[in-house]
Amino acid sequence: MTTQIRTLLDTPGNDVVGASAIWYWILWLCVSDCVPLLISLYRCFMIVLFRKTKWPSKSVFLSVALIETAHSVGLSIFVFQVLPNVGPLMGVLLMTAVALVPSIILTLFRAQRDGLRTGKTVIDVLAIGMQGSIFVWLYFYTANTEMIIWISASLVLISFGFWESVSDERFTTGVFGTISRAKQNLNSARYRTYTILNIWKICVSFGVMVYFGVTKYNLAIFFKPLSGLNNNVADESSTISHRDVYWSFFLQTISSFVGYIVAVFAVRTQIQIVGFTLPLVTSHLVSIVAVFLMSCLNTEDISHNFIHRIAVAGNECHPVGQFIGTFFISNYAWFSVFWFVSFLWIAGHIWFPNIEKLAKSSRIFCRPFYCNLLFAESLMLNRINDHILTDKFTAEEVMGSYLSLLSIDINKSQSFHDISSPLCDNHVTKGDKKPTKIFLCATMWHENENEMLNLLKSILRLDKDQSARRLAKTYFGKIDTDYYEFEAHILFDDAFEPTPEGDVINEFVVFFMDSLVKAIRNLNGVPVTELPFVKIPTPHGGRLEWTLPGDNRLTLHLKNKLFVRHRKRWSQVMYMYYLLAWKLKNEIQHDTPEHQHSIVQKTFILALDGDSNFRPRAVLQLVDLMKRDKKVGAACGRIHPIGTGPMVWYQKFEYATGHWFQKAAEHVFGCVLCSPGCFSLFRANAIMSPNVMSKYTVNATTPKEYLQCDQGEDRWLCTLMLKQGFRIEYCAASDAKTYSPESLHEFFNQRRRWMPSTIANNFDLIMDGKLFVAQNETFSWLYIAYQSALFCISLIAPSIVILLLTGACASAVPAVSYRLPFDYTKLIIY
């Protein structure tokens, strides 16, 4: 698109056929960032509506507004004044001369950090000289003072917009510390800032466009395209039809947007070098070659389609040798080699990515969206430098502060927000050498053999996958970013039955031991008759430990209801305290704070039911969500109910609407409210946070507490985490299966627990809306209103169904009186 502007925007002194005022409007829409700014405005506005966002400080907002204004003015000058005068080929070459300000900032920060005598600093200084050679080129290229001013001003103003990616956040003092703090303040308030600035930038680019358009045309001619869009051609003096105009607009807009989506996808899937860096770097060279060839080819050799007419109309065609001599030598275009090489050096961080999988776009790019005019250049300079991000945390965030929190007395009930973490001004740098550790924790009671086999086969598949990764890492030196370690723990409720000789394990434990051998035999094809285990007596009953074929440990905790509380919530409390407050605490208490924090950040609990069926890939997809954002306290997958019978058929539909669609909507509008215990991944330090473990262990003493705590323990745990400020996410790509009730009696008992618990927790959410909005950045008052509407609809839904049925029956059989149920329904509603 930018290669045609000289032929489209006729300037005084250039008698180019096909000039039209409509092209000012088209270029303003699709080249001068109007469309990307509108898309960015919509995105920022939606985030401001449905997320808790901050306002920047006044000084930061004014500074950023000034920089963005300069950037927009520079782009508009480049489009409407520079490109029509320098031509398409020189315009493409000039696009890498927009990094003067970033080169200066990069040099200053690197010199402050590494010193003046390092090799990189010397090359940085040379890069400044190469970018500054644009002024030397202008001296030789033209004697037109006005043109020198326009080109210099546009390139310098454009370069101001790319300051963030080269600003090092690790400085804390002096001028560099001020810039770092300003950048951090902007990052925390970016969406509110750019909601305003996007509108302002559209107005600025529109004002510059009107200025240049009215300068060339009078007002009547310039605004004529707005009222004369039904003509066959752009205007009387134009040879380009409106169809060509619209197709140009469409192609430019769609191609840029698709290019941005592909770029984000390449970075998120960790193929940045081949899917992001190489295409963007080579695209500039391809553009130069394409425009060069089109300038050298004769128009008679090309079919006269609209793309050709737009690209080369009005340009003289020259032989290749003559063109090289007159353009690259006489016009000193060889200076562009300096600009291109220095640009690659300044944006050199794109060759060395260090970003987590499935990273958010705010973690990939500094500014919210792309630039249509300088598409490749803007993506390269806006790509965040992963190696200069601040990665510090205060002492309250490290595991050293959690050690005291883990010593909570289970029998003590503590109210919300009565525990405060110790504060300290010291900062510690986080290590990143510990592998991901996953504790698989399942609860069992009276599952049948098929349900047990489902769970055990899933654990064995994970054991096989982990063993293969470990062997590849140990013996072949493979670097595996998804490497993990795991332990499986299954808590068996009511595992003993009394006999005259004493308590012995019941038949369900025997089924489990037989099912384990059968699962190994079926999955691995090994003729195993029994698997040796270690039997350990414990205060709560006993413990059986196996070493799986992949050398991972499986532990079966047998609970005796005479010694410890039964039911699922108390089994969860038991494994949380055993794994986190005892085992993990003893493992890390002698480590440094850096190692403590590294271990805890990479420790997760995978909550399972006794019949869960999943694949290793599903677990790793949940882990990826955790790794990309430390504020995610839990992540759940897409649950598929399995079984036979009409009740299962109904639940398949119910899960699709109530689980898949509803959780996807919650994930977009605000935050998922419940992470089901049949297949969910919880972050260790989220569970260990104040008022999560301590509050989760309280005894229910009131009807509300009984409904909220004991009838829906998974939802209660998630509510506590949300009040603590953690986010719960939903991953539709992570699939798991679980058996659903097949009889009406079993289904009724299950929903008799779930529905009152959901209502109680939703009521708590609505009544404590102010607390949720204050503590959790994913909650907004608009999201609270959305949940309130759903809450009211769920209360009146049964009455509405009765009304509809009563009305239908009354219409079908008018002789029968339905007055009583009708009045009863109205009483329920009102």
Side-chain angles (χ1 to χ4, degrees):
M1 184 73 173
T2 57
T3 62
Q4 67 196 30
I5 297 178
R6 184 186 184 184
T7 64
L8 303 177
L9 302 182
D10 185 13
T11 57
N14 290 334
D15 297 326
V16 181
V17 178
S20 173
I22 194 175
W23 282 104
Y24 276 84
W25 297 93
I26 295 299
L27 293 174
W28 173 65
L29 286 174
C30 64
V31 178
S32 294
D33 279 358
C34 184
V35 172
L37 288 176
L38 288 173
I39 299 174
S40 177
L41 173 62
Y42 170 77
R43 179 168 176 261
C44 292
F45 182 69
M46 294 301 294
I47 291 175
V48 170
L49 280 182
F50 289 99
R51 294 288 187 273
K52 179 185 175 183
T53 54
K54 300 178 181 179
W55 284 106
S57 63
K58 291 182 180 179
S59 58
V60 170
F61 180 81
L62 292 176
S63 300
V64 176
L66 183 62
I67 291 173
E68 292 296 340
T69 301
H71 183 74
S72 292
V73 171
L75 284 175
S76 300
I77 294 174
F78 196 75
V79 171
F80 298 110
Q81 189 67 21
V82 175
L83 290 177
N85 287 277
V86 300
L89 187 53
M90 184 56 71
V92 174
L93 298 178
L94 285 174
M95 288 181 181
T96 54
V98 295
L100 180 60
V101 172
S103 66
I104 297 173
I105 296 176
L106 177 63
T107 304
L108 293 176
F109 271 97
R110 184 126 59 190
Q112 180 69 16
R113 184 181 67 245
D114 302 334
L116 294 173
R117 298 184 178 181
T118 60
K120 289 184 178 180
T121 305
V122 173
I123 299 178
D124 288 340
V125 174
L126 292 176
I128 295 177
M130 291 181 179
Q131 285 289 311
S133 66
I134 183 68
F135 304 110
V136 180
W137 171 79
L138 284 172
Y139 175 79
F140 293 105
Y141 177 70
T142 180
N144 188 334
T145 305
E146 182 182 357
M147 185 52 54
I148 293 176
I149 294 175
W150 284 126
I151 296 176
S152 302
S154 65
L155 296 178
V156 173
L157 291 176
I158 289 173
S159 67
F160 274 102
F162 304 122
W163 66 277
E164 283 190 76
S165 64
V166 293
S167 301
D168 198 330
E169 296 182 11
R170 295 172 291 183
F171 288 91
T172 58
T173 59
V175 178
F176 300 99
T178 302
I179 297 176
S180 299
R181 288 189 295 272
K183 182 179 177 181
Q184 294 171 22
N185 181 262
L186 176 61
N187 287 335
S188 63
R190 185 174 298 277
Y191 295 109
R192 281 186 182 267
T193 303
Y194 277 89
T195 299
I196 299 174
L197 290 184
N198 284 331
I199 300 175
W200 170 246
K201 291 179 68 175
I202 292 174
C203 296
V204 169
S205 62
F206 178 78
V208 177
M209 183 268 293
V210 171
Y211 170 77
F212 286 116
V214 173
T215 300
K216 178 181 176 180
Y217 304 97
N218 57 43
L219 285 175
I221 295 177
F222 182 72
F223 287 99
K224 182 179 179 181
L226 298 181
S227 59
L229 293 179
N230 57 343
N231 296 331
N232 293 327
V233 294
D235 62 22
E236 293 81 356
S237 62
S238 177
T239 60
I240 302 175
S241 67
H242 276 126
R243 184 184 64 179
D244 299 347
V245 174
Y246 300 147
W247 270 109
S248 300
F249 170 73
F250 176 78
L251 291 177
Q252 171 68 12
T253 303
I254 296 301
S255 60
S256 298
F257 182 77
V258 172
Y260 174 78
I261 298 300
V262 172
V264 173
F265 174 80
V267 178
R268 283 179 172 173
T269 53
Q270 296 185 329
I271 56 172
Q272 177 170 322
I273 301 298
V274 298
F276 178 87
T277 305
L278 286 175
L280 292 180
V281 172
T282 55
S283 66
H284 183 74
L285 300 176
V286 171
S287 300
I288 295 173
V289 173
V291 177
F292 171 76
L293 292 178
M294 297 185 77
S295 300
C296 296
L297 292 176
N298 193 297
T299 56
E300 296 179 357
D301 298 330
I302 305 179
S303 61
H304 287 266
N305 54 61
F306 83 93
I307 296 179
H308 170 258
R309 294 200 304 274
I310 291 175
V312 300
N315 286 291
E316 296 181 1
C317 300
H318 307 277
V320 175
Q322 180 184 351
F323 188 81
I324 293 176
T326 56
F327 181 80
F328 284 95
I329 298 177
S330 300
N331 291 336
Y332 302 95
W334 50 268
F335 272 90
S336 62
V337 176
F338 296 149
W339 309 333
F340 182 70
V341 171
S342 60
F343 184 90
L344 292 183
W345 172 258
I346 297 165
H349 59 274
I350 64 175
W351 295 96
F352 309 98
N354 183 27
I355 192 170
E356 63 276 5
K357 192 183 298 182
L358 300 179
K360 296 181 178 180
S361 58
S362 59
R363 171 67 179 83
I364 299 173
F365 297 112
C366 300
R367 301 162 78 207
F369 228 54
Y370 60 92
C371 173
N372 248 347
L373 175 63
L374 307 171
F375 180 76
E377 292 78 12
S378 67
L379 290 184
M380 288 190 281
L381 289 177
N382 276 327
R383 175 67 174 90
I384 292 176
N385 190 342
D386 302 324
H387 301 279
I388 62 174
L389 291 177
T390 179
D391 203 13
K392 297 180 179 179
F393 50 90
T394 59
E396 66 180 76
E397 297 178 282
V398 302
M399 189 59 197
S401 64
Y402 294 139
L403 294 179
S404 59
L405 297 175
L406 292 177
S407 302
I408 299 171
D409 187 355
I410 292 181
N411 297 319
K412 289 185 179 179
S413 173
Q414 304 189 33
S415 60
F416 285 109
H417 308 291
D418 61 355
I419 299 178
S420 59
S421 300
L423 297 176
C424 181
D425 292 333
N426 298 328
H427 287 75
V428 192
T429 303
K430 179 172 62 177
D432 197 34
K433 296 182 180 179
K434 295 292 182 179
T436 299
K437 185 63 175 287
I438 304 174
F439 292 108
L440 273 70
C441 300
T443 55
M444 278 191 173
W445 183 48
H446 287 170
E447 280 76 9
N448 58 41
E449 184 179 4
N450 286 334
E451 294 172 339
M452 292 181 181
L453 281 174
N454 262 344
L455 176 64
L456 291 172
K457 287 182 178 180
S458 300
I459 295 175
L460 290 171
R461 283 193 292 263
L462 200 65
D463 172 65
K464 185 177 182 179
D465 179 77
Q466 195 278 335
S467 177
R469 294 176 183 272
R470 185 177 64 250
L471 294 175
K473 178 182 178 181
T474 303
Y475 294 103
F476 299 99
K478 181 181 178 181
I479 299 176
D480 189 357
T481 57
D482 292 330
Y483 181 76
Y484 62 94
E485 297 175 353
F486 85 94
E487 295 179 13
H489 295 265
I490 300 176
L491 282 83
F492 221 113
D493 261 320
D494 196 14
F496 294 90
E497 57 185 17
T499 63
E501 293 79 14
D503 292 340
V504 297
I505 58 176
N506 60 23
E507 58 177 335
F508 295 99
V509 179
V510 176
F511 286 160
F512 178 87
M513 300 173 69
D514 294 338
S515 298
L516 178 59
V517 175
K518 185 176 180 180
I520 295 175
R521 185 168 56 246
N522 292 346
L523 194 65
N524 298 329
V526 180
V528 180
T529 56
E530 65 175 326
L531 192 66
F533 60 89
V534 177
K535 181 170 63 175
I536 303 173
T538 61
H540 61 265
R543 187 167 75 237
L544 304 179
E545 294 184 354
W546 288 270
T547 299
L548 299 177
D551 204 25
N552 292 293
R553 180 178 297 178
L554 169 63
T555 303
L556 182 66
H557 301 268
L558 305 176
K559 294 173 58 180
N560 192 327
K561 64 181 180 181
L562 300 177
F563 304 143
V564 66
R565 292 173 181 167
H566 65 287
R567 303 194 69 165
K568 182 178 180 179
R569 180 160 77 102
W570 298 109
S571 294
Q572 291 178 330
V573 169
M574 182 176 165
Y575 67 63
M576 287 177 187
Y577 272 89
Y578 170 68
L579 296 174
L580 303 180
W582 183 81
K583 188 171 184 177
L584 182 60
K585 177 180 176 180
N586 291 336
E587 178 184 346
I588 68 174
Q589 63 181 349
H590 299 298
D591 290 341
T592 62
E594 295 95 328
H595 291 160
Q596 291 175 0
H597 185 80
S598 177
I599 293 173
V600 172
Q601 286 284 46
K602 294 189 174 183
T603 301
F604 306 102
I605 287 181
L606 181 64
L608 303 168
D609 279 348
D611 58 355
S612 299
N613 186 355
F614 58 91
R615 300 281 176 176
R617 176 49 54 186
V619 179
L620 293 179
Q621 286 168 335
L622 296 182
V623 173
D624 289 337
L625 285 181
M626 293 290 195
K627 286 182 177 180
R628 79 172 187 174
D629 189 355
K630 67 178 182 180
K631 293 182 181 179
V632 177
C636 60
R638 182 167 61 174
I639 309 301
H640 299 262
I642 56 177
T644 57
M647 288 307 305
V648 177
W649 303 342
Y650 165 74
Q651 289 174 87
K652 286 180 180 291
F653 170 78
E654 185 189 38
Y655 268 67
T657 57
H659 183 81
W660 303 351
F661 293 163
Q662 179 64 25
K663 277 185 166 46
E666 290 176 347
H667 179 86
V668 173
F669 292 148
C671 180
V672 177
L673 299 181
C674 180
S675 190
C678 59
F679 184 69
S680 293
L681 193 68
F682 293 89
R683 190 184 297 275
N685 67 334
I687 296 176
M688 292 165 358
S689 295
N691 301 312
V692 175
M693 286 183 70
S694 59
K695 192 67 177 179
Y696 192 62
T697 59
V698 299
N699 289 320
T701 56
T702 65
K704 178 178 179 295
E705 289 179 349
Y706 177 75
L707 292 177
Q708 195 170 14
C709 303
D710 289 336
Q711 296 299 296
E713 57 282 334
D714 304 326
R715 176 65 188 272
W716 173 233
L717 178 60
C718 292
T719 299
L720 295 175
M721 295 176 66
L722 292 173
K723 286 188 175 183
Q724 202 61 26
F726 289 96
R727 175 180 173 86
I728 299 174
E729 292 201 349
Y730 170 67
C731 180
S734 178
D735 295 295
K737 299 177 181 178
T738 184
Y739 279 96
S740 57
E742 297 182 354
S743 65
L744 180 61
H745 175 73
E746 188 180 359
F747 175 79
F748 178 78
N749 286 336
Q750 182 191 70
R751 300 312 163 98
R752 187 178 61 181
R753 293 187 297 106
W754 286 6
M755 293 180 65
S757 172
T758 301
I759 292 174
N761 280 280
N762 283 342
F763 182 76
D764 183 39
L765 168 67
I766 296 169
M767 298 305 295
D768 285 346
K770 185 176 181 180
L771 174 65
F772 279 94
V773 173
Q775 292 293 117
N776 199 309
E777 66 179 15
T778 61
F779 279 81
S780 64
W781 283 113
L782 194 60
Y783 185 59
I784 297 296
Y786 166 73
Q787 290 296 334
S788 301
L790 292 181
F791 179 77
C792 295
I793 291 173
S794 65
L795 290 181
I796 66 174
S799 301
I800 293 176
V801 172
I802 295 175
L803 277 174
L804 292 175
L805 293 176
T806 304
C809 293
S811 300
V813 189
V816 181
S817 175
Y818 298 95
R819 186 69 184 173
L820 180 60
F822 187 79
D823 291 340
Y824 177 71
T825 303
K826 290 196 295 183
L827 179 63
I828 293 176
I829 295 178
Y830 296 108

